[in-house]
Amino acid sequence: MSHRPFHHGNLRTVLLEQAEVVLRERGIDALSLRELAREAGVSHGAPRSHFIDRGALLDALAERGFIRLADRIREAASREPEDHARALHAAASAYLAFAERDPALLDLMFATKVGEPSEAVRGAAERLFGTMTDIMNAGVEAGAYDADDVGRLTLLLSATVQGIAALVTSRRITTPQSEALVDDAIRLFLKGASAG
Amino acid sequence: MSHRPFHHGNLRTVLLEQAEVVLRERGIDALSLRELAREAGVSHGAPRSHFIDRGALLDALAERGFIRLADRIREAASREPEDHARALHAAASAYLAFAERDPALLDLMFATKVGEPSEAVRGAAERLFGTMTDIMNAGVEAGAYDADDVGRLTLLLSATVQGIAALVTSRRITTPQSEALVDDAIRLFLKGASAG
DNA sequence: ACCTGAACACCGTTCAAGT
DNA sequence: ACCTGAACACCGTTCAAGT
């Protein structure tokens, strides 16, 4: 048996993955660097080599969250290449599914920043917005919107879906209500956004 | 001089008001019961008489936040009794102004609940939704919507405005962008929601 | 380059005791 | 009814030292 640390070269990922579990099961208040270290079998000082402080861990979690959410949305929309309305619906549903599985992570991703958001988080958030933009551009090609409007419409759609997600994670509406709300949102969005 | 505690009968309010300042200036991570107690000039155990734990204080803050936000929105909309579109715009702008002044408080109001939200918070959140409903009902009388749709449309408008606020508090968009987004949102909402 | 372990300051919570 | 103050367990952070 070696006495090299079990997680040598891997501790960062182990901490992040365990943190996601804690976030999912017990929420952000239960997330402690010392507990993560204990569960990973390292000393309480070890995370310091990978995250300068608790905020840096939270940033890394938010970054991973944005990347995963963007991937889920892109994947969902890509299953409806022929029908833009259905693609929007699939994307929104994927967003809501993420919110229901990982509400505390979504909170973290959209949490108030005291200063500027970190570069990594900002980039990951832009990846999500880029995914939404790609989906909307497919709608332009299908004749659903004017090309000039796509930037503003993408922002509006993103805000609307995030708002619905916030109502779900804060338990203000139930899952069935959120599904009806997504239907309404997309129907009204397409009607209101149509050129002319 | 009496040695009755300075805050006798008043400590609860003093703690809440100081907590709102801390939340505004330094964010939720800086909010500590012990610090609040020190600043109020009482022992660290004193808050226990008014809030069973830190979560109860946060609930009380969220409750007050919902009440204040609902009042601001009602007031803003009431200044445009003749023009429903302008009333919606005023309400949304009041929401965004709240989000910019008290981003951490808004986060708290829409934070993920692990269990069920407390009765008091739920009631206060419903007051906000009730205010939005009243504004929308005025739109029904003005002929902007079918009465049958007003419940779903109110939910959609609420979600959209909250989503725009989330983009602001998370620093994803700037204040000018949020103003343009509110314009787009309300124009598109009225177009999409119009009866027929 | 990464991890250990002592040290420090701070925190939430509990609770017997006071008024 | 409300507040005090000791006690407990836990936490984030720092840092000299090890490998």
Side-chain angles (χ1 to χ4, degrees):
Chain A
M1 286 178 54
S2 156
H3 36 49
R4 281 168 75 78
F6 179 72
H7 295 301
H8 190 73
N10 197 32
L11 179 59
R12 187 188 141 93
T13 302
V14 169
L15 292 171
L16 286 170
E17 289 176 350
Q18 185 57 29
E20 285 168 0
V21 174
V22 172
L23 216 48
R24 188 144 53 228
E25 295 180 350
R26 289 183 288 142
I28 191 158
D29 289 346
L31 193 64
S32 133
L33 286 175
R34 289 177 95 112
E35 182 185 309
L36 292 176
R38 280 195 300 273
E39 287 173 356
V42 294
S43 76
H44 68 259
R48 229 312 176 84
S49 301
H50 303 280
F51 306 102
I52 186 68
D53 58 19
R54 188 174 185 268
L57 174 75
L58 298 185
D59 276 351
L61 289 168
E63 181 190 351
R64 285 165 57 100
F66 275 117
I67 291 169
R68 195 162 78 232
L69 177 55
D71 287 351
R72 296 275 167 82
I73 286 172
R74 183 179 298 280
E75 192 178 56
S78 74
R79 289 200 206 94
E80 298 287 355
E82 304 298 329
D83 187 329
H84 178 60
R86 289 170 70 103
L88 286 189
H89 204 284
S93 294
Y95 202 115
L96 269 290
F98 181 93
E100 295 194 9
R101 177 153 193 257
D102 280 309
L105 179 57
L106 190 65
D107 271 13
L108 196 57
M109 289 156 59
F110 285 93
T112 296
K113 304 292 180 279
V114 283
E116 286 297 302
S118 81
E119 191 63 24
V121 173
R122 201 185 56 74
E126 279 182 7
R127 180 202 277 230
L128 172 58
F129 189 71
T131 299
M132 297 294 286
T133 301
D134 292 344
I135 296 169
M136 288 295 291
N137 276 330
V140 174
E141 288 177 35
Y145 329 104
D146 276 351
D148 290 348
D149 296 337
V150 76
R152 296 145 72 207
L153 290 175
T154 302
L155 210 49
L156 176 56
L157 181 66
S158 299
T160 301
V161 177
Q162 169 57 26
I164 297 171
L167 295 182
V168 168
T169 61
S170 62
R171 304 272 209 136
R172 234 61 86 185
I173 59 175
T174 62
T175 300
Q177 282 181 295
S178 77
E179 289 169 0
L181 187 48
V182 164
D183 288 346
D184 287 343
I186 289 172
R187 189 161 21 78
L188 191 140
F189 178 79
L190 287 169
K191 185 180 170 199
S194 60
Chain B
M1 285 175 57
S2 158
H3 35 49
R4 284 169 73 78
F6 178 73
H7 296 301
H8 190 73
N10 197 31
L11 180 59
R12 188 188 139 94
T13 302
V14 169
L15 292 171
L16 286 170
E17 289 176 350
Q18 186 56 30
E20 286 168 0
V21 173
V22 173
L23 215 49
R24 188 145 53 226
E25 295 180 351
R26 288 183 286 142
I28 191 158
D29 288 346
L31 192 64
S32 134
L33 286 175
R34 290 177 94 113
E35 182 186 309
L36 292 176
R38 279 195 302 272
E39 287 174 354
V42 293
S43 76
H44 68 259
R48 228 312 175 84
S49 301
H50 303 278
F51 305 103
I52 185 68
D53 59 18
R54 188 174 186 270
L57 174 74
L58 298 185
D59 277 351
L61 288 169
E63 182 191 349
R64 285 166 58 99
F66 275 118
I67 291 169
R68 195 163 78 232
L69 176 55
D71 288 350
R72 297 276 167 82
I73 286 173
R74 184 179 299 280
E75 192 178 55
S78 73
R79 289 202 206 93
E80 299 286 355
E82 305 298 329
D83 186 329
H84 178 60
R86 288 168 71 102
L88 286 189
H89 204 284
S93 295
Y95 202 115
L96 269 290
F98 181 93
E100 296 194 8
R101 177 154 193 259
D102 279 309
L105 179 56
L106 190 65
D107 272 13
L108 196 56
M109 291 156 59
F110 286 93
T112 297
K113 304 291 180 281
V114 284
E116 287 295 302
S118 82
E119 191 62 25
V121 173
R122 202 185 54 75
E126 280 183 6
R127 179 202 278 233
L128 173 58
F129 189 71
T131 297
M132 297 295 285
T133 302
D134 291 344
I135 295 168
M136 288 295 290
N137 277 329
V140 174
E141 288 177 34
Y145 329 105
D146 276 352
D148 290 349
D149 295 337
V150 76
R152 296 146 71 208
L153 290 176
T154 302
L155 210 49
L156 176 56
L157 181 66
S158 300
T160 301
V161 177
Q162 170 58 26
I164 297 171
L167 295 183
V168 169
T169 62
S170 62
R171 306 271 208 134
R172 234 62 87 185
I173 59 174
T174 61
T175 300
Q177 281 181 295
S178 77
E179 289 169 0
L181 187 48
V182 165
D183 288 345
D184 287 343
I186 290 173
R187 189 159 21 79
L188 191 140
F189 178 78
L190 286 169
K191 183 181 172 195
S194 59

